[in-house]
Amino acid sequence: MRIVLMGAPGSGKGTQAQRLVSRFGIPQISTGDILRQHRKEGTELGKRADAIMAAGKLVDDATMLEIIRERVARPDAQSGFILDGFPRTQPQAEALTTLMKDLGTPIDAVVLFEVGANELVRRISGRRTCSLCNKVFNIYSAPPASPATDCVPGSSEHQLFQRKDDEEATVKQRLQVYEENTRPVLSYYSDAGLLRTVSAEGAPEQITQRLLEALGNGAAATRPASGAKRAKSAKSARRVSPRKRAARAAPRRGAAKTRARTAARRTPIRKKAKSKTAVRRRARPVSARKGAAKSRAAPRRRSRKSKR
Ligand SMILES: [Zn+2]
């Protein structure tokens, strides 16, 4: 099962991702974490990312895709993964589709964790950090015990403060930016028939239940066209054992640098060639997408659920 998780800051998707990890035994792939790890270990990718960031730029899509390609080739991801933190833009989503098609392992579902704006603001602006022990609390949902037994030795009370990022005005701004950036990605996945929306308010257990139902129903609700395609790629994937596939992918890992350079040249060209037909088949207004993404997104919403 290959899933992409999407949700605003404070939507609780991290918690739910962890539950999926232990339930299905598939890894959570968080691009941010992997990038940090590469930089820490000083790998080729890490060095490249360092150079990019030292120049004050954002790590480019080709590098991010390289990271994902390398990560999904590892043995623990052969029966699936939960992708978190990527894609954040429509070009990234398109590139991810191309990559997964190349690998013969398309994404099965994209889950959006939906939480009302007021609730999100409440959740995030309730966060408090202890300046002594760095633990994070929530004055609404997870207040610290008083007196505290889990702070630094010698302190019977946590010294709570609110991070600038968590202040209400900042939160509202962050959420607005998130929504503007994400809207086209959600439209893209909705057009592809992959989007499942889960109401992420309420008890964590209930949300998990809804999530599992959404994933189960997802398989049944698959469109015939993509269903046939999926069956085909599943078949071809079966012919090669996961171990062999991993072994095949392994030598390429060593040549990350060269490959990355080729990928950077190759991806956009291929993407264009491949997605043309797919695009024609599914979504007419793609030609109007450039520059008109915003005005287009609103009327194309199919359900009230995906409105936020
Ligand atoms: Zn403390």
Side-chain angles (χ1 to χ4, degrees):
M1 195 187 309
R2 292 172 292 275
I3 312 164
V4 173
L5 295 189
M6 303 201 53
S11 64
K13 73 182 154 78
T15 308
Q16 296 300 326
Q18 277 313 305
R19 290 175 173 229
L20 290 183
V21 164
S22 46
R23 186 174 181 109
F24 295 113
I26 53 178
Q28 179 183 3
I29 298 182
S30 165
T31 47
D33 289 350
I34 298 174
L35 195 57
R36 266 189 291 280
Q37 193 66 24
H38 273 286
R39 297 178 68 201
K40 206 171 121 194
E41 289 171 3
T43 63
E44 283 296 334
L45 270 173
K47 284 178 195 160
R48 188 145 49 101
D50 274 341
I52 292 166
M53 289 168 93
K57 291 177 188 164
L58 285 174
V59 175
D60 56 291
D61 290 359
T63 303
M64 296 306 276
L65 284 161
E66 193 60 30
I67 286 172
I68 294 171
R69 182 192 279 270
E70 190 271 343
R71 182 62 187 85
V72 300
R74 293 189 202 169
D76 68 333
Q78 294 315 299
S79 52
F81 54 80
I82 299 153
L83 187 57
D84 177 19
F86 190 96
R88 287 181 196 263
T89 66
Q90 190 181 329
Q92 287 180 350
E94 289 170 357
L96 181 67
T97 302
T98 307
L99 170 66
M100 290 304 164
K101 271 186 190 160
D102 282 354
L103 296 173
T105 53
I107 296 293
D108 296 309
V110 176
V111 179
L112 169 66
F113 288 88
E114 196 178 57
V115 179
N118 291 340
E119 173 65 10
L120 283 176
V121 170
R122 199 184 73 100
R123 283 187 193 176
I124 305 176
S125 62
R127 278 185 198 156
R128 296 291 184 276
T129 310
C130 174
S131 59
L132 301 174
C133 66
N134 284 322
K135 288 195 175 75
V136 180
F137 301 93
N138 191 301
I139 51 173
Y140 305 117
S141 55
S146 181
T149 53
D150 56 347
C151 201
V152 292
S155 172
S156 59
E157 296 292 341
H158 294 286
Q159 300 292 312
L160 300 185
F161 73 99
Q162 187 176 33
R163 286 170 52 220
K164 178 94 183 133
D165 258 11
D166 296 340
E167 285 172 15
E168 192 167 325
T170 321
V171 171
K172 283 183 174 160
Q173 205 180 350
R174 277 168 71 197
L175 291 177
Q176 200 180 337
V177 169
Y178 166 84
E179 201 185 311
E180 278 169 18
N181 290 342
T182 318
R183 210 175 289 141
V185 181
L186 296 178
S187 291
Y188 172 79
Y189 281 128
S190 173
D191 288 351
L194 292 175
L195 189 66
R196 321 265 176 260
T197 302
V198 169
S199 162
E201 292 187 35
E205 296 73 30
Q206 289 176 332
I207 299 167
T208 306
Q209 199 50 46
R210 285 179 216 140
L211 172 59
L212 293 173
E213 277 165 25
L215 291 173
N217 293 345
T222 301
R223 285 186 194 174
S226 53
K229 223 179 236 174
R230 194 166 305 155
K232 199 176 156 198
S233 53
K235 209 196 239 168
S236 56
R238 229 177 290 134
R239 257 182 260 137
V240 184
S241 78
R243 190 176 293 170
K244 271 186 192 161
R245 236 187 299 158
R248 275 180 201 176
R252 300 166 74 192
R253 235 181 275 166
K257 203 174 181 183
T258 333
R259 202 157 28 95
R261 252 189 257 125
T262 15
R265 278 198 302 267
R266 187 180 61 198
T267 316
I269 301 163
R270 270 208 192 170
K271 186 174 69 187
K272 214 180 256 172
K274 274 204 173 175
S275 57
K276 232 180 206 171
T277 23
V279 147
R280 219 178 284 138
R281 211 179 301 132
R282 288 187 192 128
R284 296 129 284 137
V286 161
S287 52
R289 234 169 228 177
K290 258 182 211 163
K294 233 184 232 173
S295 56
R296 190 185 59 84
R300 296 199 89 247
R301 294 250 168 265
R302 283 189 189 138
S303 63
R304 279 177 56 241
K305 277 186 177 176
S306 54
K307 220 160 202 169
R308 270 183 227 131

